């Protein structure tokens, strides 16, 4: 039985990956930070009590800023594969917390690589580094592939640039199986609530059920190459199963504006909208409502721009070229953007319906 260690196991990707690996007969270990409230909702369905027999999924308290704990956990587990997914992953927040972001994302990656080297596991343990399309930043060519030069545009992206290169360096210096997956944006119903897609699908669901008035957004013209996290998890694993350690771009090859994602999300539940106005005064209103379950009066304003969500330096356009992974590994995304929107919107409608019932019950008292 192979053993895998996942940093960032409580996050969107970590949780999907843990489930994926358990299904493939791995013994899965996850590193979790201590928090004052339990934050394991994404992995509760695979959690096993320590008292159970044949435990296949185990959590360890640890933090990427704490090298002694990282070393101890890796020594204890002796993993065949490490997926380093832990990160301060929010681009906007990285402008507010640049030093912490660098410590976790850049130094944290070094700590994992060094732990494997110090423990003499360079021949046994493979390492996957969660690299990102944010590295391309101010894009130097369209679409972006494995040879496109990087131009990071945020403290987050700069920290990930260090992580990318230190992974390459350890591969070359110590002949380790250490690889970068350069993943373009990938989303799901469990995406963090402050990333733009989830903010939109939650907003659409809550507006449709009368729980929220408007969605306030920043740059509506940014373009992203969005895929489904479930597909991207499989790509991570496949990269780790190759004979030679190599870096791969994982993307769909389709890019979409934020404003189009908003339109698609409303449209999914039969609500048509139109944008009007310019710049910070731009808004969107309902033009037509074809769904009696979620009736919204035409003319109602449902989206507005709030300049507080603009970034000091923006990444305007990301579009990946997944040719290498397609031809070398045979990976391609199974879900189209329309499938992703559907999955996210209906999951959020379900959550909002529950919230509505709870509010109704409280009001009933
Ligand atoms: P996410 O949902 O934000 O999850 C991040 C995970 O990292 C969480 O489990 C978080 O723990 C953990 N973490 C944060 N700080 C930590 C620390 N100091 N020590 C240990 N763990 C820490 O991110 P994601 O979307 O799953 O992304 C996974 C990885 O892929 C990240 O490295 C991200 O930068 C990268 N990436 C993501 C995308 C994307 O579109 N999703 C694209 C390219 C690359 P808590 O739950 O306690 O906060
Ligand atoms: O959803 P976002 O916050 O994702 P972003 O910045 O692209 O980063 C995500 O993807 C990266 C891969 O490329 C990962 F490495 C990273 O960890 C993270 O998962 O923002 C997407 C776009 C940006 O251009 C932003 O300016 O949406 C724009 N946007 C417009 N209004 C907004 C908002 N973003 C957020 N979060 N909130 C808004 O209200």
């Amino acid at each position: 039985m192979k053993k895998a260690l996942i940093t960032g196991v409580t996050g969107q990707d970590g949780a999907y990956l843990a489930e994926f690996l358990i299904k493939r007969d791995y013994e899965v270990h996850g590193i979790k930070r201590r928090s004052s409230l339990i934050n394991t909702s994404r992995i509760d369905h695979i959690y096993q009590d320590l008292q159970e027999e044949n435990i296949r999924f185990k959590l360890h308290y640890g933090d990427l800023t704490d090298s002694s704990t990282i070393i101890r956990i890796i020594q204890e587990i002796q993993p065949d594969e490490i997926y380093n997914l832990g990160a301060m992953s929010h681009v906007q927040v990285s402008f507010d917390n640049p030093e912490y972001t660098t410590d976790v994302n850049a130094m944290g990656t070094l700590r994992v690589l060094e732990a494997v080297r110090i423990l003499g596991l360079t021949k046994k343990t493979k390492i996957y580094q969660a690299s990102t399309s944010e590295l391309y930043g101010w894009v130097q060519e369209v679409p972006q592939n494995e040879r496109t030069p990087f131009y990071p545009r945020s403290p987050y992206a700069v920290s990930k640039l260090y992580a990318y290169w230190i992974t390459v360096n350890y591969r070359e210096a110590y002949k380790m199986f250490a690889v970068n997956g350069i993943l373009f944006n990938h989303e799901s119903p469990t995406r963090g609530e402050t990333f733009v897609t989830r903010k939109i699908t939650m907003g659409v669901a809550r507006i449709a059920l009368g729980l929220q008035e408007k969605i306030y957004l920043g740059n509506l013209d940014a373009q992203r190459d969005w895929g489904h996290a479930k597909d991207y998890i499989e790509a991570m694993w496949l990269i780790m199963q190759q004979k030679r350690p190599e870096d791969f771009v994982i993307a769909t090859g389709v890019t979409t504006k934020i404003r189009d994602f908003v339109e698609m999300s409303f449209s999914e539940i039969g609500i048509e909208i139109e944008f009007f106005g310019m710049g910070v005064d731009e808004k969107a209103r309902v033009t037509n409502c074809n769904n009696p379950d979620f009736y919204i009066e035409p003319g109602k304003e449902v989206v507005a721009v709030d300049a507080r969500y603009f970034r000091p330096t923006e990444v305007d356009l990301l579009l990946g070229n997944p040719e290498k992974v397609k031809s070398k590994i045979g990976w391609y995304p199974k879900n189209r953007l329309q499938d992703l929107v559907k999955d996210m919107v209906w999951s959020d409608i379900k959550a909002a319906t529950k919230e509505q019932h709870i509010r109704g019950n409280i009001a009933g008292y």
Side-chain angles (χ1 to χ4, degrees), residues 118-132:
I118 290 168
L119 293 167
L121 294 171
T122 52
K123 294 282 167 290
K124 174 182 169 66
T125 305
K126 295 179 177 183
I127 301 177
Y128 172 91
Q129 170 54 23
S131 283
T132 165

Side-chain angles (χ1 to χ4, degrees), residues 7-15 31-35 39 42 62-65 70 84-90 100 104-105 128-134 156 160 181-187 190-192 195 226 229 232 236:
T7 71
V9 73
T10 53
Q12 172 190 256
D13 291 4
I31 293 183
K32 181 198 157 343
R33 300 191 286 177
R34 193 264 163 185
S35 54
N39 71 342
R42 291 183 177 115
D63 195 300
L64 282 163
T65 59
I70 298 290
N84 185 35
L85 310 185
M88 201 312 285
S89 74
H90 202 283
Y100 176 71
V104 178
N105 299 4
Y128 172 91
Q129 170 54 23
S131 283
T132 165
S133 49
E134 280 291 305
Y156 167 79
K160 286 281 187 175
I182 308 170
L183 271 55
F184 282 63
N185 298 51
H186 46 281
E187 322 289 312
T190 62
R191 181 60 146 152
F195 295 98
W226 282 300
Y232 285 43
M236 290 179 190

Side-chain angles (χ1 to χ4, degrees), residues 283-297:
K283 295 181 172 55
R285 65 186 158 222
V286 172
T287 52
N288 198 7
C289 188
N290 301 317
N291 189 339
D293 291 339
F294 307 119
Y295 188 72
I296 303 180
E297 202 66 46

Side-chain angles (χ1 to χ4, degrees), residues 23-285:
K23 281 194 190 132
R24 273 157 190 78
D25 268 345
Y26 279 71
E27 180 180 303
V28 178
H29 296 258
I31 293 183
K32 181 198 157 343
R33 300 191 286 177
R34 193 264 163 185
S35 54
S36 66
L37 283 174
I38 290 171
N39 71 342
T40 52
S41 61
R42 291 183 177 115
I43 47 172
D44 282 345
H45 62 293
I46 49 173
Y47 180 76
Q48 292 179 288
D49 277 328
L50 292 175
Q51 290 71 26
E52 282 180 42
E53 279 177 20
N54 299 325
I55 291 192
R56 303 273 307 286
F57 180 57
K58 194 173 169 194
L59 292 177
H60 305 257
Y61 278 114
D63 195 300
L64 282 163
T65 59
D66 174 359
S67 50
S68 58
T69 308
I70 298 290
I71 293 173
R72 182 180 52 73
I73 293 171
I74 295 177
Q75 182 174 34
E76 207 174 293
I77 298 167
Q78 305 265 315
D80 300 288
E81 296 173 10
I82 297 178
Y83 294 85
N84 185 35
L85 310 185
M88 201 312 285
S89 74
H90 202 283
V91 173
Q92 177 84 297
V93 174
S94 79
F95 287 100
D96 298 330
N97 300 167
E99 188 180 331
Y100 176 71
T101 302
T102 306
D103 195 7
V104 178
N105 299 4
M107 293 298 289
T109 304
L110 176 65
R111 289 178 186 114
V112 171
L113 289 159
E114 259 302 86
V116 169
R117 191 179 75 86
I118 290 168
L119 293 167
L121 294 171
T122 52
K123 294 282 167 290
K124 174 182 169 66
T125 305
K126 295 179 177 183
I127 301 177
Y128 172 91
Q129 170 54 23
S131 283
T132 165
S133 49
E134 280 291 305
L135 293 171
Y136 298 117
W138 192 343
V139 295
Q140 303 294 295
E141 64 176 339
V142 181
Q144 297 87 49
N145 63 36
E146 291 80 2
R147 292 173 307 285
T148 303
F150 297 138
Y151 195 131
R153 294 266 284 170
S154 64
Y156 167 79
V158 175
S159 71
K160 286 281 187 175
L161 185 72
Y162 176 87
Y164 172 91
W165 281 116
I166 199 69
T167 301
V168 173
N169 182 246
Y170 270 55
R171 175 167 82 218
E172 293 174 353
Y174 306 117
K175 312 287 174 257
M176 288 167 68
F177 192 109
V179 291
N180 289 287
I182 308 170
L183 271 55
F184 282 63
N185 298 51
H186 46 281
E187 322 289 312
S188 74
T190 62
R191 181 60 146 152
E193 292 158 2
T194 58
F195 295 98
V196 77
T197 55
R198 187 74 199 288
K199 185 169 167 182
I200 294 166
T201 60
M202 277 179 69
V204 166
R206 297 183 84 251
I207 290 170
L209 288 161
L211 295 164
Q212 183 174 326
E213 283 296 311
K214 248 183 219 174
I215 309 170
Y216 292 95
L217 296 169
N219 180 5
L220 296 168
D221 289 312
Q223 289 176 251
R224 287 293 181 273
D225 180 332
W226 282 300
H228 199 301
K230 278 190 178 171
D231 292 338
Y232 285 43
I233 290 318
E234 188 179 10
M236 290 179 190
W237 178 73
L238 286 168
I239 293 173
M240 291 282 269
Q241 310 315 308
Q242 299 308 298
K243 280 214 171 74
R244 269 162 38 94
E246 280 185 70
D247 304 326
F248 287 91
V249 158
I250 307 298
T252 68
V254 177
T255 192
T256 307
K257 285 189 177 179
I258 309 297
R259 65 174 72 248
D260 295 330
F261 192 94
V262 177
E263 281 190 4
M264 286 174 78
S265 301
F266 275 108
S267 179
E268 178 59 35
I269 52 168
I271 297 167
E272 306 308 325
I273 60 164
E274 68 176 3
F275 283 93
F276 64 99
M278 296 274 282
V280 287
D281 296 323
E282 187 166 5
K283 295 181 172 55
R285 65 186 158 222

